[in-house]
């Protein structure tokens, strides 16, 4: 049972445009969400997070939006840059511990 | 450089062989994790150690064992490797504070033939 879903395996956008990566979850006990970025042959790196008490968190070019009623979150990257080309994983955890449940990932390609 | 170090980076095993994947962190983190990454499956938790002296099963523990040797080191052992264990394995650690997320190692690519 996939509790965290990223339904788009890949996404292609032009440099300078907005990239929107989506993530859905089914477990209503999740109360903290994170996005990780992964380059080939490297481990994932933490990008941005959001608590369930918020609906938006912003860090430079990256903004995460959370819609609890829809059990949906999204990552916006504006403007997109070629260096943003990577696999992006959505992750979630419950308040009781530190285990993360990851989605399947979305491969973002930012084209010149 | 501070971080999570995994060894080896690559390994090829024959079915039935055993091996241990090593992981060490120098950030004084309390919690450590082992994940595997497979195409179309994302990252799945194998085992974790919330603190020194404790270990618990994750989502896909069958065929694996772990040892939290001390606060720095957390090893993953395959007793009898199977082709289904061909994967990329990632070790991660965290302070345990929610805002920090995980720090991952660079991974071990394991092929079982």
């Amino acid at each position: 049972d996939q509790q965290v879903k990223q339904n788009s395996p890949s996404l292609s956008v032009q440099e300078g445009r907005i990239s929107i990566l989506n993530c859905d979850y089914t477990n209503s006990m999740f109360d903290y969400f994170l996005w990780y970025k992964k380059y080939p042959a490297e481990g994932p790196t933490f990008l941005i997070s959001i608590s369930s008490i918020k609906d938006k968190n912003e860090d430079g070019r990256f903004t995460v939006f959370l819609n609890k009623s829809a059990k949906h979150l999204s990552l916006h990257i504006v403007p997109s840059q070629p260096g943003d080309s990577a696999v992006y994983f959505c992750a979630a955890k419950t308040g009781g511990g530190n285990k993360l449940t990851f989605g399947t990932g979305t491969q973002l390609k930012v084209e010149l | 450089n501070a971080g999570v170090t995994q060894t080896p980076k690559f390994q090829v095993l024959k079915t039935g062989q055993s091996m241990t994947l090593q992981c060490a962190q120098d950030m004084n983190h309390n919690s450590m994790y082992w994940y595997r990454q497979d195409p179309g499956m994302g990252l799945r938790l194998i085992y974790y150690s919330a603190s020194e002296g404790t270990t618990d099963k994750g989502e896909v523990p069958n065929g694996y064992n772990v040892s939290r040797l001390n606060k720095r080191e957390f090893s993953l052992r395959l007793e009898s490797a199977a082709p289904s264990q061909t994967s990329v394995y990632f070790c991660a650690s965290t302070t345990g504070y929610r805002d920090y997320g995980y720090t991952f190692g660079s991974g071990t690519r394991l092929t079982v033939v």
Side-chain angles (χ1 to χ4, degrees), chain A residues 59-112:
Chain A
D59 183 2
R61 296 187 297 114
F62 302 91
T63 303
V64 56
F65 295 92
L66 175 62
N67 183 334
K68 284 185 64 180
S69 62
K71 293 190 176 67
H72 177 83
L73 66 156
S74 60
L75 174 68
H76 292 209
I77 306 173
V78 184
S80 301
Q81 299 174 354
D84 296 329
S85 297
V87 177
Y88 289 79
F89 289 100
C90 171
K93 60 183 176 182
T94 63
N98 296 314
K99 292 186 296 179
L100 289 180
T101 300
F102 284 84
T104 52
T106 296
Q107 172 76 60
L108 173 65
K109 182 177 181 181
V110 180
E111 299 173 319
L112 297 172

Side-chain angles (χ1 to χ4, degrees), chain A residues 1-2 31-32 34 36 38 41-46 49 51-52 87 89 93-105, chain B residues 31 33 35 37 40-45 48 50 57-59 90 94-107 109:
Chain A
D1 178 31
Q2 193 75 29
D31 65 354
Y32 200 78
L34 306 92
Y36 284 79
K38 185 184 179 305
E42 295 183 11
T45 55
F46 170 70
S49 63
S51 167
S52 61
V87 177
F89 289 100
K93 60 183 176 182
T94 63
N98 296 314
K99 292 186 296 179
L100 289 180
T101 300
F102 284 84
T104 52
Chain B
S31 304
Y33 307 82
Y35 282 85
Q37 182 192 8
M41 303 293 289
L43 292 157
R44 293 181 293 168
L45 181 63
Y48 68 100
K57 295 179 180 179
E59 182 184 356
F90 290 100
T94 181
T95 60
Y97 296 112
R98 294 156 60 99
D99 287 338
Y100 294 170
Y102 289 4
T103 300
F104 280 88
S106 59
R109 182 172 293 276

Side-chain angles (χ1 to χ4, degrees), chain A residues 8-23:
Chain A
S8 297
S10 63
L11 175 68
S12 183
V13 300
Q14 284 192 316
E15 181 180 12
R17 298 290 186 99
I18 184 172
S19 295
I20 300 177
L21 294 91
N22 294 304
C23 178

